[in-house]
Amino acid sequence: MRKILVGRDRRTKYLFSHLVKHKGLEDERIVDKVVRSISEMGNTRMVLKTDGEPAIVQVQEAVIGKRQHPTVPEKPPAYDPQANGEAERAVQEVKAQLRAVKLGLEARIKKEVKGNHEVLEWMIPHAANTNNRFLVGAGGRTAHYRVHLKNIGGKMFEFGEQVLAKPKRKHSAS
């Protein structure tokens, strides 16, 4: 089974998720992905909380070292499952959306997508982004709105849906 790293901004409820090939720093790209995701949320000074597992603490320390803004590490009290309730809820939301996206893709292509398929590299972040754009919170706003102060407009397509497009022609000014 593949491992997923999920993060959530406490204030905006903005989610990010990434496929992790190996725990800890063995996946050389995970630190850059997390730093980029934190940047996309617009965070400068922040507290970065983990569950205290040694592998994720390694990633936490590397992210703190790579960020240009002040980042304070936080570890919850040991053996306190309620201390990470918000993070656990974020994981549930991403997994539920990932399941829906995967089932939709399988129905469209009429094939099973195995747990080790390369498409998961894109599907996992897409699941978090879908929640950010469309999951309406208690205040009647999406996480995307709380970060960017605007809603998503235009047409949306399902993950893996075939889209045909015709490029616009340049009109000559005569």
Side-chain angles (χ1 to χ4, degrees), residues 33-171:
K33 288 178 181 180
V34 171
V35 169
R36 189 172 43 250
S37 293
I38 291 170
S39 251
E40 288 171 5
M41 290 186 233
N43 287 324
T44 52
R45 180 180 166 80
M46 65 174 289
V47 174
L48 186 59
K49 184 177 177 181
T50 67
D51 64 3
E53 181 188 352
I56 195 70
V57 170
Q58 284 181 337
V59 173
Q60 177 190 37
E61 291 168 356
V63 167
I64 290 169
K66 193 144 193 161
R67 286 196 77 231
Q68 297 174 351
H69 300 288
T71 308
V72 178
E74 181 181 330
K75 295 177 189 128
Y79 308 107
D80 185 4
Q82 291 183 343
N84 265 343
E86 194 172 359
E88 294 300 327
R89 178 70 183 140
V91 170
Q92 289 173 355
E93 288 174 11
V94 169
K95 282 185 173 182
Q97 186 62 38
L98 179 59
R99 199 173 307 113
V101 170
K102 182 177 176 279
L103 288 171
L105 180 62
E106 289 173 340
R108 200 166 18 285
I109 65 173
K110 296 176 179 43
K111 284 177 88 174
E112 182 183 359
V113 176
K114 303 274 187 201
N116 61 352
H117 199 280
E118 294 83 15
V119 76
L120 290 173
E121 181 83 31
W122 296 280
M123 194 182 290
I124 290 169
H126 177 77
N129 288 332
T130 301
N131 279 351
N132 290 334
R133 292 174 176 178
F134 302 110
L135 187 64
V136 178
R141 301 285 188 196
T142 63
H144 183 273
Y145 183 89
R146 287 190 286 276
V147 170
H148 302 287
L149 299 178
K150 63 181 179 180
N151 287 318
I152 296 291
K155 292 183 179 179
M156 297 301 296
F157 302 96
E158 284 191 51
F159 185 87
E161 182 176 352
Q162 183 176 6
V163 178
L164 302 175
K166 184 176 179 182
K168 288 185 179 180
R169 289 188 173 187
K170 292 182 181 178
H171 296 287

